Coordinates of all heavy atoms in Angstrom, one line a residue:
E58 N 14.4 16.1 15.2 CA 13.9 15.2 14.2 C 13.1 14.2 15.0 O 12.0 13.7 14.5 CB 15.0 14.6 13.4 CG 15.6 15.6 12.5 CD 14.7 16.1 11.5 OE1 14.2 15.2 10.6 OE2 14.4 17.3 11.3
A59 N 13.7 13.6 16.1 CA 12.9 12.5 16.8 C 11.6 13.0 17.4 O 10.7 12.2 17.3 CB 13.8 12.0 18.0
R60 N 11.5 14.2 17.8 CA 10.3 14.8 18.3 C 9.2 14.8 17.3 O 8.1 14.4 17.4 CB 10.5 16.3 18.8 CG 9.2 16.9 19.3 CD 9.4 18.4 19.6 NE 10.2 18.5 20.7 CZ 9.7 18.4 22.0 NH1 8.5 18.2 22.3 NH2 10.6 18.5 23.0
K61 N 9.6 15.1 16.0 CA 8.6 15.2 14.9 C 8.1 13.8 14.6 O 6.9 13.6 14.3 CB 9.3 15.8 13.7 CG 9.6 17.3 13.8 CD 10.4 17.7 12.7 CE 10.9 19.2 13.0 NZ 11.9 19.7 12.0
L62 N 9.0 12.8 14.6 CA 8.7 11.5 14.2 C 7.7 10.8 15.3 O 6.7 10.1 15.0 CB 10.0 10.7 14.0 CG 10.8 11.0 12.8 CD1 12.1 10.4 12.9 CD2 10.0 10.6 11.5
V63 N 8.1 11.1 16.5 CA 7.3 10.6 17.6 C 5.9 11.2 17.7 O 4.9 10.5 17.8 CB 8.0 10.7 19.0 CG1 7.0 10.3 20.1 CG2 9.3 9.9 19.1
H64 N 5.9 12.4 17.3 CA 4.6 13.1 17.3 C 3.7 12.6 16.2 O 2.5 12.4 16.3 CB 4.8 14.6 17.2 CG 3.6 15.5 17.4 ND1 3.0 15.7 18.6 CD2 2.8 16.1 16.5 CE1 1.9 16.4 18.5 NE2 1.8 16.6 17.1
A65 N 4.3 12.4 15.1 CA 3.6 11.8 13.9 C 3.1 10.4 14.1 O 2.0 10.1 13.8 CB 4.5 11.9 12.6
L66 N 4.0 9.7 14.7 CA 3.5 8.3 15.2 C 2.3 8.3 16.1 O 1.3 7.6 15.9 CB 4.7 7.5 15.8 CG 4.4 6.2 16.4 CD1 3.9 5.2 15.3 CD2 5.6 5.5 17.0
A67 N 2.4 9.2 17.0 CA 1.3 9.3 18.1 C 0.0 9.7 17.3 O -1.1 9.2 17.6 CB 1.6 10.3 19.2
G68 N 0.1 10.7 16.4 CA -1.1 11.2 15.6 C -1.6 10.1 14.7 O -2.9 9.8 14.6
L69 N -0.8 9.2 14.1 CA -1.3 8.2 13.3 C -2.0 7.1 14.1 O -3.0 6.7 13.8 CB -0.1 7.6 12.6 CG -0.3 6.2 11.8 CD1 -1.3 6.5 10.6 CD2 1.0 5.6 11.2
L70 N -1.4 6.7 15.2 CA -2.0 5.7 16.1 C -3.3 6.2 16.7 O -4.3 5.5 16.8 CB -1.1 5.4 17.1 CG 0.1 4.5 16.8 CD1 1.0 4.1 18.0 CD2 -0.3 3.4 16.0
D71 N -3.3 7.5 17.1 CA -4.6 8.1 17.6 C -5.7 8.1 16.5 O -6.8 7.7 16.9 CB -4.4 9.5 18.0 CG -5.6 10.2 18.7 OD1 -6.1 9.6 19.7 OD2 -6.1 11.2 18.2
A72 N -5.3 8.4 15.3 CA -6.4 8.5 14.2 C -6.8 7.0 13.8 O -8.0 6.9 13.3 CB -5.8 9.2 13.1
S73 N -6.0 6.1 13.9 CA -6.2 4.7 13.3 C -6.6 3.7 14.4 O -7.0 2.6 13.9 CB -5.1 4.3 12.5 OG -3.9 4.2 13.3
V74 N -6.5 4.0 15.7 CA -6.7 2.9 16.7 C -8.1 2.2 16.5 O -8.2 1.0 16.8 CB -6.5 3.6 18.1 CG1 -7.6 4.4 18.5 CG2 -6.3 2.3 19.1
T75 N -9.1 3.0 16.0 CA -10.4 2.3 15.9 C -10.5 1.6 14.6 O -11.5 0.8 14.4 CB -11.5 3.4 15.9 OG1 -11.3 4.3 15.0 CG2 -11.6 4.0 17.4
E76 N -9.6 1.7 13.7 CA -9.6 1.1 12.4 C -8.7 -0.2 12.4 O -8.8 -1.0 11.5 CB -9.1 2.1 11.3 CG -9.8 3.4 11.2 CD -11.3 3.2 11.1 OE1 -11.7 2.4 10.2 OE2 -12.1 4.0 11.6
I77 N -7.8 -0.3 13.3 CA -7.0 -1.6 13.3 C -7.4 -2.3 14.6 O -7.7 -1.7 15.6 CB -5.5 -1.2 13.2 CG1 -5.0 -0.3 14.5 CG2 -5.1 -0.5 12.0 CD1 -3.6 -0.1 14.4
S78 N -7.1 -3.6 14.6 CA -7.5 -4.4 15.9 C -6.6 -4.1 16.9 O -5.4 -3.6 16.8 CB -7.4 -5.8 15.5 OG -6.1 -6.2 15.2
S79 N -7.0 -4.4 18.2 CA -6.0 -4.4 19.3 C -4.8 -5.2 19.2 O -3.8 -4.9 19.7 CB -6.8 -4.6 20.6 OG -7.3 -5.9 20.6
F80 N -4.9 -6.2 18.4 CA -3.8 -7.1 18.0 C -2.6 -6.3 17.5 O -1.5 -6.5 17.9 CB -4.3 -8.3 17.1 CG -3.2 -9.1 16.6 CD1 -2.6 -10.2 17.4 CD2 -2.7 -9.0 15.4 CE1 -1.6 -11.0 17.1 CE2 -1.5 -9.7 15.0 CZ -1.0 -10.7 15.8
H81 N -3.0 -5.4 16.7 CA -2.1 -4.5 16.1 C -1.7 -3.2 16.8 O -0.6 -2.8 16.9 CB -2.5 -4.1 14.7 CG -2.6 -5.1 13.7 ND1 -1.5 -5.9 13.1 CD2 -3.8 -5.8 13.1 CE1 -2.0 -6.8 12.3 NE2 -3.3 -6.8 12.2
A82 N -2.8 -2.7 17.5 CA -2.6 -1.5 18.2 C -1.8 -1.5 19.4 O -1.0 -0.7 19.7 CB -4.0 -0.8 18.5
A83 N -2.0 -2.6 20.2 CA -1.3 -2.8 21.5 C 0.2 -2.7 21.4 O 0.8 -1.9 22.0 CB -1.7 -4.0 22.1
P84 N 0.8 -3.5 20.5 CA 2.3 -3.4 20.5 C 2.7 -2.0 19.9 O 3.8 -1.5 20.3 CB 2.7 -4.5 19.5 CG 1.5 -5.0 18.9 CD 0.4 -4.6 19.7
L85 N 2.0 -1.3 19.0 CA 2.4 -0.1 18.5 C 2.3 0.9 19.7 O 3.3 1.8 19.8 CB 1.5 0.2 17.4 CG 1.6 -0.6 16.1 CD1 0.7 -0.2 15.0 CD2 3.1 -0.5 15.6
R86 N 1.2 0.9 20.4 CA 1.1 1.8 21.5 C 2.3 1.6 22.5 O 2.8 2.6 23.0 CB -0.2 1.6 22.4 CG -1.3 2.3 21.6 CD -2.5 2.2 22.7 NE -3.7 2.4 21.9 CZ -4.7 1.7 22.0 NH1 -4.8 0.6 22.7 NH2 -5.8 1.9 21.3
D87 N 2.7 0.4 22.8 CA 3.8 0.1 23.7 C 5.1 0.7 23.2 O 5.9 1.3 23.9 CB 4.0 -1.4 24.0 CG 2.9 -2.1 24.8 OD1 2.1 -1.4 25.4 OD2 2.8 -3.3 24.7
G88 N 5.3 0.6 21.9 CA 6.5 1.1 21.2 C 6.5 2.6 21.3 O 7.5 3.2 21.6
L89 N 5.3 3.2 21.1 CA 5.2 4.5 21.1 C 5.6 5.1 22.5 O 6.4 6.0 22.7 CB 3.9 5.1 20.7 CG 3.5 6.6 21.1 CD1 4.4 7.5 20.3 CD2 2.0 6.8 20.8
K90 N 5.1 4.5 23.6 CA 5.4 4.8 25.0 C 6.9 4.7 25.1 O 7.5 5.5 25.8 CB 4.6 4.0 25.9 CG 4.8 4.5 27.4 CD 4.0 3.7 28.4 CE 4.2 4.2 29.8 NZ 3.4 3.5 30.7
S91 N 7.5 3.6 24.7 CA 8.9 3.5 25.0 C 9.7 4.6 24.3 O 10.7 5.1 24.8 CB 9.3 2.1 24.4 OG 8.8 1.1 25.1
L92 N 9.4 5.0 23.1 CA 10.0 6.1 22.4 C 9.8 7.4 23.2 O 10.7 8.2 23.3 CB 9.5 6.3 21.0 CG 9.9 5.0 20.1 CD1 9.1 5.2 18.7 CD2 11.4 5.1 19.8
Q93 N 8.6 7.6 23.6 CA 8.3 8.8 24.5 C 9.2 8.9 25.7 O 9.7 10.0 26.1 CB 6.9 9.0 24.8 CG 5.9 9.2 23.6 CD 4.5 9.2 23.9 OE1 4.1 8.2 24.5 NE2 3.7 10.2 23.5
L94 N 9.3 7.8 26.4 CA 10.1 7.7 27.6 C 11.6 7.9 27.2 O 12.4 8.6 28.0 CB 9.9 6.4 28.3 CG 8.6 6.2 28.9 CD1 8.4 4.8 29.5 CD2 8.4 7.2 30.2
A95 N 12.1 7.3 26.2 CA 13.4 7.5 25.8 C 13.7 8.9 25.4 O 14.8 9.5 25.6 CB 13.7 6.6 24.5
F96 N 12.7 9.6 24.7 CA 12.9 11.0 24.4 C 13.1 11.8 25.7 O 13.9 12.6 25.8 CB 11.8 11.6 23.6 CG 11.9 12.9 23.2 CD1 12.5 13.2 22.0 CD2 11.6 14.0 24.0 CE1 12.6 14.6 21.4 CE2 11.7 15.3 23.5 CZ 12.2 15.6 22.4
R97 N 12.1 11.6 26.6 CA 12.3 12.2 27.9 C 13.6 12.1 28.6 O 14.1 13.0 29.1 CB 11.1 11.8 28.8 CG 10.9 12.6 30.1 CD 9.7 12.3 30.8 NE 8.5 12.7 30.1 CZ 8.0 13.9 30.0 NH1 8.7 14.9 30.5 NH2 6.9 14.1 29.4
E98 N 14.1 10.8 28.5 CA 15.4 10.5 29.2 C 16.6 11.2 28.5 O 17.5 11.6 29.0 CB 15.5 9.0 29.2 CG 16.9 8.6 29.9 CD 16.9 7.0 29.9 OE1 16.0 6.5 30.4 OE2 17.9 6.6 29.5
A99 N 16.4 11.3 27.2 CA 17.5 11.8 26.3 C 17.6 13.4 26.4 O 18.6 14.0 26.1 CB 17.4 11.5 24.9
S100 N 16.4 14.0 26.8 CA 16.4 15.5 26.8 C 17.1 16.1 27.9 O 16.9 15.7 29.0 CB 14.9 16.0 26.8 OG 14.1 15.5 25.7
L101 N 17.9 17.1 27.5 CA 18.7 17.8 28.6 C 17.7 18.7 29.5 O 17.9 18.8 30.6 CB 19.8 18.7 27.9 CG 20.9 18.0 27.3 CD1 21.8 19.0 26.6 CD2 21.6 17.0 28.2
V102 N 16.7 19.3 28.7 CA 15.8 20.0 29.5 C 14.4 19.3 29.2 O 13.8 19.5 28.2 CB 15.7 21.5 29.1 CG1 14.6 22.2 29.7 CG2 17.0 22.1 29.1
P103 N 13.9 18.5 30.1 CA 12.7 17.7 29.8 C 11.4 18.6 29.7 O 11.3 19.6 30.3 CB 12.5 16.8 31.1 CG 13.8 16.8 31.8 CD 14.5 18.1 31.4
D104 N 10.5 18.1 28.8 CA 9.2 18.8 28.6 C 8.4 18.7 29.9 O 8.6 17.7 30.7 CB 8.5 18.2 27.4 CG 9.3 18.4 26.2 OD1 9.7 19.6 25.9 OD2 9.3 17.4 25.3
E105 N 7.5 19.6 30.0 CA 6.6 19.5 31.2 C 5.6 18.3 30.8 O 5.5 18.0 29.6 CB 5.6 20.8 31.3 CG 6.4 22.0 31.7 CD 6.9 21.9 33.1 OE1 6.2 21.3 34.0 OE2 8.0 22.3 33.5
P106 N 5.2 17.6 31.8 CA 4.2 16.5 31.6 C 3.1 16.9 30.8 O 2.5 18.0 30.9 CB 3.7 16.1 33.0 CG 4.8 16.6 33.9 CD 5.3 17.8 33.3
G107 N 2.8 16.1 29.6 CA 1.8 16.5 28.7 C 2.2 17.2 27.6 O 1.5 17.5 26.5
Q108 N 3.5 17.7 27.5 CA 4.1 18.6 26.6 C 5.1 17.9 25.7 O 5.6 18.5 24.7 CB 4.7 19.9 27.1 CG 3.7 20.8 27.9 CD 2.5 21.2 27.1 OE1 2.7 21.6 26.0 NE2 1.3 20.9 27.6
G109 N 5.5 16.6 26.0 CA 6.5 15.9 25.2 C 5.8 15.5 23.8 O 4.7 15.7 23.6
P110 N 6.7 14.9 23.1 CA 6.3 14.6 21.7 C 5.1 13.5 21.8 O 5.2 12.5 22.4 CB 7.5 13.9 21.0 CG 8.4 13.6 22.2 CD 8.1 14.5 23.2
G111 N 4.1 13.8 21.1 CA 2.9 12.9 21.0 C 2.0 12.9 22.2 O 0.9 12.3 22.1

Side-chain angles (χ1 to χ4, degrees):
E58 291 291 300
R60 176 184 293 277
K61 293 171 189 171
L62 292 162
V63 172
H64 190 76
L66 174 61
L69 173 64
L70 293 181
D71 184 57
S73 61
V74 73
T75 59
E76 304 301 324
I77 62 177
S78 67
S79 61
F80 174 80
H81 296 290
L85 293 174
R86 281 193 197 125
D87 291 344
L89 171 61
K90 183 176 180 181
S91 294
L92 291 169
Q93 289 172 311
L94 290 171
F96 185 92
R97 188 169 294 285
E98 186 177 306
S100 296
L101 295 176
V102 180
D104 295 315
E105 292 293 322
Q108 301 302 309

